[in-house]
Amino acid sequence: MERTLLRDLVSWKDSPHRKPLLLRGPRQVGKTWLLKEFAARYFDDIAYFNFDQDPSLSALFDTTKDVDRILEQLSILNGAPIRPGGTLLVFDEIQESNAALGALKYFCENAPGLHVAGAGSLLGVALSRPASFPVGKVDFLDLAPMSFSEFLLASGEASLQQFLDNVTDLSPLPAPIAERLTEKLALYLVVGGMPEPVLLWSTDQDMRAVTKAQQAILDAYRLDFAKHAAAADIAKIGYLWHSVPAQLARDNRKFLYAAAREGARARSYEDALNWLVHTGVVARVFRCTAPRLPLSAYDDLSSFKLYVVDTGLLARLSKLDPMVSGHPAAPFTEFKGALSENFVLQSLRSHFEAEPRTWTSEGQAEVEFVLQRENQIHPIEVKSGMNVRAKSLGVYRDRYKPRVSVRFSLRNLQFRDGLLDVPLFMADQLGRLLQLAERQLSD
């Protein structure tokens, strides 16, 4: 399987300003595989150390800050020298050792020629504690679940992906190709982008095996809650986590603590929610009070929506029958199109630097996402079918006069009167499509 983040890893490897790398991402998203594949392609060898499998490794960093001494001892354990330029040194599950995490500062300062990469499924939790964070001494990359583009490649549909990559204008796509892509996206919404379920589907087309793998990932998440969270927050985290499908199934998708647990209040559940967000298994999208630059300055921190990191995991968490993928329109419409909306958010977060926001107007209009791109702000409406009638985007456009607005649906591609209609299966191409729209407006 190909992961597009491999290109970013190569850029990191070749950068003259390279620092030790921290690769973040939730459990089972493929961090370990990616680093090992990266080493196999671009290095002579790899020195791999896992702090979860071998907790005694932390002792090497507890006793000294001398990088040469640490490397000498690691080389002995590795059974081969760790050579600058030739070896990729990997610290997996590095969040299990505060000492190792802090030592990255000394690798940055005293061994700049060495390629050092750390990874961890709970790195976000560890980095939320400033004492263990080597400020300014590390580079970051975030690995998300496989995108729809990566799913197409893994499923043997490279020709479809190549077609999408070669779209150079905003005219409608040929109907047979659009229908084929819609069918593939319906499957992706249920399988999702976690590498093991994708691999099982692409090799065996066994949805029962896919569901079993997804459930195993969810079970691992629950074990993380119990093992790593503060005791007082474990039950609260569970309530919040299991409430996400029901929250997304409501007409108003604003997250309500009381919908997770009767009588729950933000004050008592805030730490639990922050822990869940830091693990990366959910994404929090704040409401913006005004779509102005920068969007982050207008966050309403008391109003937000929660999404699951992967559509396939959302489908499994909601106990959606996997056979729904056999009905072309069903994955788009089940529990009020939440899978489609979750999918669009995944794509936006993977392809744009700024986190999306949501926008509402006095409870009368809601635009699913608002995206800051360069010096433009784009409202993004998500429709899960062919019916695109809705007043919310119209309310926004009348009020703020955006240069380009976006509407995702099952309709074909077109650009008219500042409204860019994008088929859901082209979510990964949105950045390029926006450039084409801007160019068309300027001509």
Side-chain angles (χ1 to χ4, degrees), residues 53-70:
Q53 294 176 356
D54 187 359
S56 66
L57 287 170
S58 188
L60 299 180
F61 300 85
D62 290 329
T63 57
T64 182
K65 304 299 183 187
D66 187 323
V67 171
D68 290 335
R69 184 177 174 186
I70 292 172

Side-chain angles (χ1 to χ4, degrees), residues 4 13 16 20 48 57 89 127 152 167 188 190 250 284 287 315 342 364 372 379 396 418 426 434:
T4 56
K13 173 183 180 292
Y48 176 83
L57 287 170
L89 176 58
L127 296 180
L152 287 176
V167 170
Y188 174 83
V190 178
R250 296 165 48 244
R284 177 167 49 187
R287 172 183 174 269
N342 204 103
Q364 298 177 349
Q372 179 179 325
Y396 183 103
M426 295 193 76
L434 286 170

Side-chain angles (χ1 to χ4, degrees), residues 423-440:
L424 281 162
F425 56 74
M426 295 193 76
D428 291 341
Q429 283 75 36
L430 180 60
R432 190 162 51 82
L433 297 179
L434 286 170
Q435 290 179 342
L436 292 174
E438 293 282 358
R439 190 179 308 158
Q440 186 170 317

